[in-house]
């Protein structure tokens, strides 16, 4: 009796599953997960165009080649670029593969899959030809010699003119001196300060070179002058922790000797300092105090935001200042990169992939309309002319839907400002950052003592360093 | 049985054995032995794709890594406590459930149920219990005690052992039950007739005839102790608290840093250690078996 | 005398019963929580993993572990089965992967186990040791070589990339060898005297006696492979081929609200299988009783 019942239920299950199963099996849904190849229809278009344009393609021999381009997120720009490139080069097919569409990967499983698959493929000498490295451990890949040294490709390619791109970004996005990944977009991070109030206070500093301790000193002095309640308002406690650790990195982490120094009291001191900083009103962790601080953190994402940040601040005479440097960082500004692409060292179509990469880098129209600065100066000029013509939308503040007119003078300092950017904003090893970020919230919420937190972090970072 | 016949048997067996072994061997070689050897080979090369032979360099590096040593120690502690514990408990349960009891079938089924719960659900329930804001801390709070960060203190080893026990008591119990039921009842009959007491029966019959099963269960329990990694990883991430940082964490992190060489070197060391352990067990088992036949 | 005799029985039953309840708690919890509305789940478990501000009263906040739902609702099941169309498809995928593996390994392993247990040949123990060793390897070690092998065989992104290695797994060989090993040699010798070849002995004598072992093997294999995550993640690239285990891992992080129902449905086949296989255990008793 029982056996018959279980058998019946099993059959029901299988029957029900089979019904919907066959429905799904046939289709390749361009859905949230799994690999998606968006290359099927391109060859038709290319044939329709008919024209061959072999110029600019190094070493092409007319044979049909496929470039596999693998990214984590779907990016409409890539799709568009692919179509245009294939139209110009009929014997090239580009296979666009992505793991997740938009923000649909909440659980991180698609990312995990993307990471593991890409690593495994590359380690076996296979894998995609062009890779988006944003979410992958680029330094480890470079260490294993899995990526092509693009600097040498640039030198050998006479048609590539490095001056057409923001060289300081290209060079400093790669720590070793040789370029392995090329960012298609970047943004700048800086401080917005009340120039008037600062000059009035007669506190002197050099924002190009100041380090974290000098920065906090300046904040202390400024607050005493009384123009504003706070010296600096952080967006979040974790950004403060980041700055603090990065600012004291060499004293907290001794990578060479594989020693972590979170237990020597310095870290505890720093943690406790956050409480005093808030009490002494040197820094605030409440974004509501943005209006009451001498300095606030800003992101400059485009020529438009360069202007709108200034126009929207409540400072009388706002000005940009450079953030404080961490250990080993160079005097200058900070930038973050996006859409970092690299070429697989074991690719069989290196030259073609490099050519497509160049094409992506130079996409004037598309790059200029994206939300960040483009790597190509030509696209940047286009961005500038757009904004001069159309103005920029007010994103915050009372005039929310108004458009601000932008003039040449407004943008005067921007070129120089971009040229000053020489430090990558997040250059702490991801594992250390994660460990610190995971453990410190317990301190801030008052649930654990700073000693307990420091001990945990010390523990884990030691484990990491000693692997 | 004279010598000639024996020799004839051995020769006959060789070819016959091949027929029985063939399907398994072919597939096994293809999907397990060859990758295994390739993996071990990797541990003797350096990182470049060409693979230059570097001898024992990777092994030296691995052995000198204090994290590796920490992982080994934790692994030994965990296995040293967990495996004997689970075997004693599951054997006791199997023996108890092999006798007439009320509701025996229901009891048996319920002990085996933990096997059936998927890892993801277990993790959720365990989180609910042991999280900083979890139920256990709620009880502690109710009794006016301090909260304990279960997963980030030395208690974490206890939590992991508990998870391991919960899941594997049922696992081993199935195996012991199957083993117990394969012992012919008449052995017990004979013993009883000859006046042997319960305890004597236990030791001389049950444990004796359970030896092959026991060997199996010991090894499987060790292997399952490795599987506990999945739950630990889901609960505590890449870098858990010191006490529960195990060999698989080390290996997983090596894989993330693409350091396949150190990964396979560590694995080879681990396997080497277990080979010694298993050979010891095998020889003990063989001696018992020869006594049986 | 008789009265006293059943007291230990009751005590024992009670003790074991208590233990059994403890064992079952997580399962019962999963089931009852699956009958709660998603909002209730959110309310109860929102605090998991969060550090709340002590000053804002965080010291007294805890997760609410409820056994009985406030409101009985099948909403979770509706959401999982009907609204999320992937579920049944993935269920089928899981079945299509696990059943061949279990059946295949049972067959292949029994054959090999007989050789290891009952036949004598050169290098038998050493070969067996090799089988054992591979079980000890965590998957990262053989991942890259496995990838190469499967790629060379052209099985990438195909169900066989998972089924084939599953069929030739060492666990079955190991287990069946142990069970066959303590079937006393007298049986095979007797059959051989009667003129039976190795195959006959295997088919007519050893295999039937190893039924409890086979039943146990089937259950354990099913549970193991039903839960596998790493292999499908790497070797199956298309979304529509993914098994249920991957879905569950995702759901518990993304949508905790329906995670309980998904888990309950996920567990159901294994529970049914076990109940079904249990009868073979009992048959095993009867058989060993008949054996003289």
């Amino acid at each position: 009796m029982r056996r018959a019942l279980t058998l019946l239920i099993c059959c029901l299950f299988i029957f029900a599953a089979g019904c919907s199963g066959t429905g799904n099996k046939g289709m390749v849904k361009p859905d949230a997960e799994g690999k998606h190849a968006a290359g099927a229809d391109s060859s038709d278009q290319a044939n329709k165009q008919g024209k061959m344009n072999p110029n600019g393609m190094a070493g092409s021999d007319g044979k049909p080649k496929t470039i596999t381009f693998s990214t984590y997120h779907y990016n409409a720009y890539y799709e568009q670029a692919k179509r245009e490139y294939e139209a110009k080069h009929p014997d090239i097919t580009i296979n666009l593969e992505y793991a997740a569409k938009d923000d649909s990967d909440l659980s991180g499983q698609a990312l995990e899959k993307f990471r593991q698959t890409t690593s495994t493929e590359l380690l076996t000498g296979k894998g995609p030809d062009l890779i988006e490295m944003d979410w992958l451990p680029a330094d480890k890949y470079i260490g294993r010699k899995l990526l092509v040294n693009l600097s040498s490709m640039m030198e050998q390619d006479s048609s590539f003119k490095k001056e057409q791109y923001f060289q300081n970004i290209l060079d400093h996005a790669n720590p070793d001196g040789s370029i392995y990944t090329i960012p298609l977009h970047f943004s700048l991070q800086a401080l917005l300060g009340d120039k008037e109030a600062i000059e009035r206070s007669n506190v002197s500093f050099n924002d190009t070179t100041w380090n974290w301790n000098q920065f906090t000193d300046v904040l202390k002095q400024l607050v005493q002058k009384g123009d504003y309640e706070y010296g600096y308002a952080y967006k979040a406690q974790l950004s403060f922790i980041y700055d603090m650790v990065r600012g004291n990195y060499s004293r907290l982490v001794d990578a060479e000797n594989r020693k972590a120094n979170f237990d020597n009291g310095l870290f505890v001191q720093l943690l406790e300092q956050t409480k005093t900083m808030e009490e002494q009103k040197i820094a605030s962790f409440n974004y509501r105090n943005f209006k009451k601080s001498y300095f606030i953190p800003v992101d400059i994402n485009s020529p438009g935001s360069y202007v709108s940040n200034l126009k929207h601040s409540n400072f009388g005479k706002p000005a940009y200042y450079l953030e404080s440097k961490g250990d080993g960082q160079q005097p200058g500004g900070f930038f973050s990169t996006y859409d970092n692409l690299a070429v697989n060292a074991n690719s069989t179509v290196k030259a073609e992939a490099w050519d497509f990469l160049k094409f992506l880098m130079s996409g004037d129209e598309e790059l200029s309309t994206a939300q960040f600065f483009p790597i190509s100066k030509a696209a940047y000029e286009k961005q500038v002319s757009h904004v001069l013509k159309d103005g920029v939308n007010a994103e915050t503040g009372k005039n929310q839907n108004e458009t601000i007119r932008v003039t040449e003078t407004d943008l005067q300092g921007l070129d120089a400002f971009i040229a000053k950017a020489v430090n990558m904003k997040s250059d702490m090893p991801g594992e250390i950052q994660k460990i610190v970020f995971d453990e410190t919230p317990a301190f801030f919420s008052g649930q654990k003592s700073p000693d307990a937190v420091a001990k945990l972090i010390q523990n884990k970072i030691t484990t990491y360093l000693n692997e | 049985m004279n010598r000639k016949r024996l020799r004839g048997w051995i020769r006959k067996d060789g070819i016959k054995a091949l027929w029985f072994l063939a399907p398994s061997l072919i597939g096994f070689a293809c999907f397990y032995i060859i990758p295994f050897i390739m993996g071990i080979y990797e541990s003797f090369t350096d990182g470049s794709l060409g693979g230059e032979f570097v001898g024992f360099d990777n092994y030296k590096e691995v052995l000198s890594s204090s994290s590796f040593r920490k992982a080994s120690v934790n692994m030994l502690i965990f296995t040293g406590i967990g495996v004997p514990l689970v075997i004693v408990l599951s054997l006791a349960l199997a023996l108890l459930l092999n006798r007439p009891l009320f509701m025996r079938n229901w009891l048996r089924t319920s002990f085996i149920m933990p096997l059936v719960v998927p890892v993801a659900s277990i993790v959720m329930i365990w989180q609910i219990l042991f999280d900083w804001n979890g139920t256990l801390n709620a009880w502690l709070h109710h009794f006016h005690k301090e909260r304990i960060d279960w997963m980030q203190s030395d208690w974490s080893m206890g939590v992991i052992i508990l998870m391991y026990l919960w899941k594997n008591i049922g696992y081993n119990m199935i195996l012991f039950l199957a083993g117990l039921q394969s012992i012919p009842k008449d052995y017990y009959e004979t013993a009883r007739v000859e006046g042997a007491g319960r305890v004597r029966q236990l030791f001389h019959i049950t444990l004796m005839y359970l030896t092959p099963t026991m060997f199996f269960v010991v090894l499987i329990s060790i292997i399952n102790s490795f599987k506990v990694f999945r739950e630990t990883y889901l609960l505590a991430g890449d870098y858990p608290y010191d006490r529960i940082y195990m060999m698989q964490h080390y290996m997983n992190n090596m894989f993330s840093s693409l350091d396949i060489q150190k990964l396979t070197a560590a694995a080879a060391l681990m396997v080497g250690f277990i080979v010694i352990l298993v050979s010891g067990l095998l020889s003990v088992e063989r001696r018992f078996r020869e006594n049986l036949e | 005398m008789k009265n006293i005799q059943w007291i230990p029985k009751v005590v024992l039953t009670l003790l074991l019963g208590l233990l059994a309840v403890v064992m079952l708690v997580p399962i019962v919890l999963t089931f009852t929580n699956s009958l709660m509305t998603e909002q209730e789940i959110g309310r109860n478990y929102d605090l998991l993993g969060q550090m709340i501000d002590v000053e804002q009263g965080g010291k007294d906040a805890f997760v609410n572990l409820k056994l009985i739902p406030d409101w009985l609702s099948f909403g979770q099941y509706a959401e999982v089965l009907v609204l999320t169309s992937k579920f049944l498809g993935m269920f089928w995928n899981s079945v299509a992967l696990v059943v061949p593996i279990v059946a295949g390994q049972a067959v292949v392993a029994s054959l090999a186990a007989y050789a290891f247990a009952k036949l004598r040949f050169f290098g038998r123990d050493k070969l067996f040791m090799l089988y054992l060793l591979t079980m000890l390897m965590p998957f990262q070690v053989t991942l890259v070589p496995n990838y190469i092998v499967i790629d060379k065989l052209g099985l990438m992104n195909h169900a066989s990339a998972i089924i084939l290695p599953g069929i030739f797994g060492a666990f079955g060989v190991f287990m069946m060898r142990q069970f066959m090993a303590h079937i006393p040699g007298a049986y095979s010798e007797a059959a051989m005297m009667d003129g039976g070849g190795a195959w006959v002995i295997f088919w007519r004598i050893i295999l039937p006696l190893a039924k409890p072992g086979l039943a146990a093997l089937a259950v354990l294999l099913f549970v193991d492979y039903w839960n596998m995550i790493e292999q499908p993640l790497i070797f199956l690239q298309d979304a529509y081929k993914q098994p249920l285990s991957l879905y569950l891992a995702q759901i518990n992080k993304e949508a905790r609200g329906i995670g309980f129902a998904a888990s309950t449905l996920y567990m159901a086949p294994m529970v049914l299988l076990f109940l079904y296989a249990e009868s073979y255990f009992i048959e095993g008793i009867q058989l060993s009783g008949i054996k003289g």
Side-chain angles (χ1 to χ4, degrees):
Chain A
M1 173 56 194
R2 199 213 262 161
R3 244 197 259 180
L5 196 65
T6 52
L7 219 58
L8 181 66
I9 298 179
C10 285
C11 291
L12 275 174
F13 253 125
I14 296 180
F15 178 69
C19 281
S20 57
T22 41
N24 282 338
K25 261 204 258 186
M27 301 186 277
V28 180
K29 285 210 202 108
D31 235 5
E33 317 105 50
K35 245 192 192 169
H36 307 280
D41 56 342
S42 56
S43 29
D44 298 309
Q45 268 191 344
N47 285 334
K48 283 198 200 130
Q49 291 286 335
K51 251 190 173 173
M52 272 269 284
N53 190 355
N55 292 337
M57 202 158 76
S60 101
D61 50 3
K63 272 197 291 209
K65 296 221 168 95
T66 312
I67 304 176
T68 307
F69 182 13
S70 172
T71 64
Y72 171 46
H73 280 131
Y74 172 74
N75 189 331
Y77 168 50
Y78 296 149
E79 178 98 46
Q80 203 183 349
K82 160 194 138 83
R83 257 177 274 148
E84 289 183 18
Y85 190 80
E86 283 175 348
K88 288 204 193 124
H89 303 95
D91 53 345
I92 302 272
T93 317
I94 297 176
N95 216 351
L96 259 190
E97 289 174 346
Y98 54 93
K101 196 150 189 158
D102 305 326
D103 291 324
S104 60
D105 183 28
L106 288 170
S107 66
Q109 201 179 62
L111 178 60
E112 183 67 35
K113 189 191 183 85
F114 176 64
R115 277 211 189 113
Q116 283 207 337
T117 316
T118 311
S119 294
T120 312
E121 286 178 354
L122 256 59
L123 282 170
T124 58
K126 303 201 166 184
D129 304 297
L130 195 59
I131 315 169
E132 185 191 62
M133 299 297 295
D134 285 24
W135 300 86
L136 297 169
D139 52 343
K140 306 274 168 36
Y141 282 35
I142 296 173
R144 297 271 136 193
K145 308 220 175 41
L146 295 171
L147 300 177
V148 170
N149 184 338
L150 295 172
S151 302
S152 47
M153 287 215 106
M154 287 181 192
E155 276 164 38
Q156 289 167 11
D157 191 343
S158 51
S159 68
F160 180 79
K161 307 257 184 303
K162 209 172 177 200
E163 317 81 64
Q164 291 174 348
Y165 303 93
F166 288 105
Q167 293 192 51
N168 56 327
I169 304 287
L170 273 182
D171 287 332
H172 293 274
N174 290 271
D176 271 338
S178 296
I179 299 180
Y180 286 94
T181 63
I182 292 185
L184 292 183
H185 293 103
F186 65 95
S187 70
L188 303 172
Q189 278 70 45
L191 302 173
L192 199 64
D194 190 335
K195 186 159 176 197
E196 223 178 354
I198 292 172
E199 282 172 358
R200 225 184 313 137
S201 72
N202 272 324
V203 178
S204 67
F205 56 85
N206 184 343
D207 67 322
T208 312
T209 57
W210 59 358
N211 64 24
W212 199 80
N213 285 326
Q214 292 166 339
F215 175 60
T216 42
D217 265 342
V218 168
L219 291 179
K220 273 192 209 136
Q221 292 176 41
L222 282 174
V223 168
Q224 281 167 358
K225 303 296 176 171
D227 271 322
Y228 285 95
E229 232 182 299
Y230 297 94
Y232 185 43
Y234 278 94
K235 277 190 263 196
Q237 272 169 349
L238 285 182
S239 4
F240 171 71
I241 289 292
Y242 181 88
D243 279 349
M244 188 183 84
V245 173
R246 187 66 189 82
N248 292 286
Y249 197 67
S250 60
R251 267 173 291 162
L252 290 171
V253 176
D254 187 356
E256 269 209 25
N257 293 322
R258 300 183 168 221
K259 226 178 117 28
N261 292 316
F262 281 83
D263 58 351
N264 61 3
L266 174 62
F267 188 67
V268 172
Q269 208 181 36
L270 291 171
L271 280 183
E272 288 173 341
Q273 210 175 37
T274 52
K275 294 269 149 118
T276 57
M277 276 184 110
E278 222 174 343
E279 277 160 31
Q280 293 172 12
K281 311 260 187 167
I282 299 174
S284 155
F285 301 118
N286 193 340
Y287 69 93
R288 273 181 268 247
N289 291 323
F290 266 19
K291 296 209 171 125
K292 304 187 196 156
S293 318
Y294 277 94
F295 289 109
I296 58 172
V298 283
D299 291 309
I300 305 171
N301 297 328
S302 63
S305 81
Y306 183 77
V307 175
S308 66
N309 280 335
L310 293 172
K311 294 239 159 108
H312 284 135
S313 78
N314 52 292
F315 296 143
K317 280 226 181 76
Y320 284 113
Y321 295 88
L322 301 175
E323 292 189 347
S324 64
K325 331 289 162 227
D327 288 332
Q329 288 183 318
Q330 296 172 5
F334 290 84
F335 66 92
S336 300
T337 57
Y338 310 93
D339 306 325
N340 298 285
L341 304 181
V343 177
N344 183 350
N346 284 306
S347 160
T348 47
V349 289
K350 272 187 272 225
E352 289 75 8
W354 166 237
D355 198 69
F356 181 54
L357 180 52
K358 277 192 294 180
F359 181 76
L360 285 169
M361 282 168 78
S362 64
D364 292 356
E365 201 53 52
E366 298 72 36
L367 283 182
S368 64
T369 52
Q371 50 168 162
F372 296 112
F373 286 113
I375 192 72
S376 120
K377 287 192 178 157
Y380 166 66
E381 294 301 331
K382 267 232 170 88
Q383 247 188 355
V384 167
S385 61
H386 275 311
V387 90
L388 284 174
K389 190 165 51 123
D390 299 330
V392 64
N393 264 330
E395 282 162 34
T396 53
K398 345 175 216 160
N399 318 320
Q400 205 147 4
N401 284 319
E402 267 181 45
T403 319
I404 309 173
R405 296 237 52 229
V406 174
T407 63
E408 291 267 353
T409 35
D410 287 330
L411 293 173
Q412 227 168 22
L414 182 52
D415 280 354
F417 205 71
I418 295 181
K420 280 199 219 157
V422 289
N423 296 307
M424 286 269 275
K425 179 65 185 166
S426 21
D427 63 351
M428 221 168 33
E431 292 88 353
I432 295 190
Q433 182 174 321
K434 183 164 192 300
I435 293 174
V436 173
F437 278 15
D438 278 345
E439 302 305 327
T440 39
F443 164 73
F444 282 114
S445 66
Q447 305 252 8
K448 285 194 191 166
S449 75
D451 285 305
V453 171
K455 200 166 129 220
L456 272 176
I457 296 183
Q458 168 71 10
N459 231 309
K460 298 193 179 189
I461 294 194
T462 311
T463 308
Y464 164 69
L465 288 174
N466 278 296
E467 277 187 338
Chain B
M1 205 65 52
N2 54 28
R3 278 271 169 101
K4 226 201 289 177
R5 235 151 155 215
L6 198 70
R7 225 179 290 141
W9 272 32
I10 291 177
R11 221 175 290 140
K12 241 202 299 178
D13 269 8
I15 304 183
K16 272 207 197 86
L18 214 60
W19 281 110
F20 281 97
L21 281 176
S24 175
L25 259 186
I26 298 175
F28 185 68
C30 187
F31 293 108
Y32 292 90
I33 299 189
I34 294 183
F36 178 53
I37 295 181
M38 284 166 76
I40 298 296
Y41 174 72
E42 272 294 314
S43 70
F44 290 105
T45 65
D46 74 349
S48 58
L49 221 52
E52 287 181 34
F53 192 75
V54 289
F56 283 97
D57 277 358
N58 290 316
Y59 288 89
K60 275 189 235 156
E61 240 189 279
V62 165
L63 283 171
S64 61
S65 147
S66 80
S67 294
F68 175 78
R69 289 197 292 261
K70 178 157 50 185
S72 315
V73 168
N74 285 338
M75 191 120 238
L76 285 172
I77 296 181
F78 175 69
T79 315
I81 299 182
V83 171
L85 206 58
V86 84
I87 290 188
V88 164
L89 287 175
S90 49
L91 182 58
L93 270 177
L95 287 171
L96 288 174
L97 287 178
N98 207 24
R99 308 140 115 251
L101 280 176
F102 300 117
M103 303 194 300
R104 185 173 68 165
N105 281 344
W106 289 107
L107 281 176
R108 208 161 41 188
T109 314
S110 58
F111 281 114
I112 301 186
M113 277 306 150
L115 264 180
V116 148
V117 184
V119 175
S121 313
I122 294 181
V123 168
M124 182 134 81
I125 305 252
W126 241 254
Q127 241 187 329
I128 295 177
L129 285 175
F130 290 105
D131 191 72
W132 182 250
N133 301 320
T135 317
L136 234 63
N137 275 342
W139 288 347
L140 280 179
H141 188 252
H142 186 69
F143 292 114
H144 301 291
K145 295 227 161 75
E146 274 287 314
R147 289 200 210 201
I148 299 182
D149 199 354
W150 297 98
M151 291 306 285
Q152 306 250 57
S153 63
D154 282 334
W155 284 103
S156 55
M157 178 64 93
V159 172
I160 303 284
I161 292 186
L162 196 66
M163 284 204 290
Y164 173 68
L165 286 178
W166 181 78
K167 184 151 196 162
N168 287 285
I169 283 186
Y171 198 98
N172 292 351
M173 203 185 74
I174 297 187
L175 298 174
F176 277 130
L177 273 176
L180 283 174
Q181 281 159 12
S182 303
I183 303 178
K185 285 267 155 65
D186 21 312
Y187 290 167
Y188 290 106
E189 286 289 329
T190 327
R192 209 144 47 85
V193 164
E194 290 181 8
R198 280 275 188 72
V199 178
R200 231 157 158 243
Q201 278 181 39
L202 175 68
F203 276 100
H204 283 237
I205 300 180
T206 315
L207 283 182
M208 189 78 98
Y209 286 96
L210 218 45
T211 310
T213 317
M214 179 68 85
F215 172 64
F216 180 58
V217 171
V218 167
L219 212 61
I220 286 296
S221 300
I222 297 180
I223 292 177
N224 283 333
S225 74
F226 300 161
K227 291 206 192 133
V228 115
F229 167 68
R230 214 188 255 168
E231 281 97 331
T232 316
Y233 183 74
L234 289 173
L235 276 176
D238 283 320
Y239 291 96
Y241 184 70
D242 254 12
R243 198 61 312 150
I244 52 177
Y245 178 78
M246 307 267 200
M247 193 58 78
Q248 293 96 314
H249 287 103
Y250 179 78
M251 294 203 257
N252 202 38
N253 292 338
M254 285 297 107
F255 184 77
S256 297
S257 348
L258 300 186
D259 202 337
I260 301 290
Q261 286 65 33
K262 289 215 281 199
L263 165 63
T264 45
L269 285 171
M270 185 174 94
V271 169
F273 176 73
I274 298 188
V275 166
I276 301 175
L277 191 68
V278 168
S279 329
L281 285 175
L282 247 179
S283 58
V284 169
E285 191 231 10
R286 203 182 313 141
R287 226 177 298 142
F288 269 100
R289 268 217 294 157
E290 277 159 16
N291 284 346
L292 272 187
E293 307 206 1
Chain C
M1 269 289 240
K2 241 215 271 185
N3 287 347
I4 307 179
Q5 248 184 4
W6 59 257
I7 290 182
K9 229 191 190 181
V10 173
V11 170
L12 216 53
T13 310
L14 279 175
L15 279 174
L16 287 176
L18 208 64
L19 198 57
V21 166
V22 169
M23 286 288 183
L24 285 179
V25 159
I27 300 171
V28 172
L29 267 173
T30 309
F31 179 61
T32 55
N33 272 298
S34 72
L35 294 173
M36 296 184 190
T37 60
E38 284 180 50
Q39 291 88 340
E40 197 185 334
I41 301 272
R43 260 183 292 128
N44 287 340
Y45 303 121
D46 243 350
L47 291 174
L48 272 186
Q50 315 261 37
M51 289 286 172
I52 334 107
D53 211 318
V54 173
E55 275 137 54
Q56 294 175 24
K59 265 248 140 107
D60 290 340
F62 291 99
V63 159
N64 205 353
L65 186 59
K66 277 236 186 115
L67 204 55
I68 308 191
D70 285 340
W71 264 121
L72 206 69
S73 123
F74 286 97
Q76 287 193 41
Y77 287 99
E79 179 88 28
V80 170
L81 288 176
V82 177
L83 300 175
T84 325
S85 58
K86 299 183 280 194
F87 190 85
L88 285 180
M90 287 184 151
F91 187 90
W92 176 249
N93 287 339
S94 279
V95 171
L97 283 178
V98 176
V99 169
I101 292 182
V102 174
Q105 193 174 128
V107 168
V108 170
S110 302
L111 291 170
Y114 175 64
F116 280 119
K118 290 299 174 192
L119 301 176
R120 289 198 173 82
F121 53 92
F122 178 71
R124 178 182 71 170
D125 285 338
K126 303 223 175 46
L127 188 60
F128 188 61
M129 181 78 98
L130 198 57
Y131 268 80
L132 291 189
L133 287 184
T134 57
M135 281 200 289
L136 302 165
M137 287 279 165
F139 85 99
Q140 283 101 348
V141 177
T142 49
L143 179 60
V144 174
N146 254 327
Y147 187 89
I148 299 181
V149 168
I150 292 199
D151 199 46
K152 285 238 161 64
L153 292 174
L155 296 175
M156 211 52 191
N157 201 25
H158 195 265
S160 351
I162 301 192
I163 295 181
L164 285 181
I167 292 184
F168 297 106
F171 180 72
V173 175
F174 185 25
M175 180 156 164
M176 294 316 294
R177 183 259 194 186
Q178 297 306 107
F179 278 97
M180 292 182 180
H182 71 18
I183 295 174
Y187 292 104
S188 3
E189 280 170 33
M192 218 170 278
M193 293 293 206
D194 288 345
W199 174 257
V200 170
I201 300 177
F202 172 71
W203 188 248
R204 291 259 168 94
I205 300 181
I206 303 288
L207 209 51
L209 287 176
K211 263 211 194 132
L214 275 176
L217 180 67
V219 171
L220 295 176
L221 279 182
F222 194 91
V223 168
D224 259 345
Y225 285 103
W226 191 251
N227 268 315
M228 70 177 155
I229 292 188
E230 292 89 12
Q231 294 93 317
L233 202 64
I234 300 267
F235 293 118
L236 290 180
Q237 275 125 14
D238 295 328
Y240 66 89
K241 290 187 184 160
Q242 281 184 349
L244 210 49
S245 44
L246 287 182
Y247 176 69
L248 213 66
Q250 248 186 319
I251 278 298
N252 275 326
K253 283 198 204 152
E254 283 180 22
R256 208 179 270 148
I258 56 175
F260 289 103
S263 300
T264 313
L265 288 171
Y266 181 84
M267 290 197 274
M270 292 191 274
V271 175
L272 290 175
L273 177 69
F274 174 68
L275 294 176
Y276 189 69
E278 219 189 353
S279 54
Y280 275 104
F281 280 140
I282 303 179
E283 232 183 83
I285 304 176
Q286 295 171 334
L287 247 125
S288 56
I290 290 174
K291 227 169 28 178

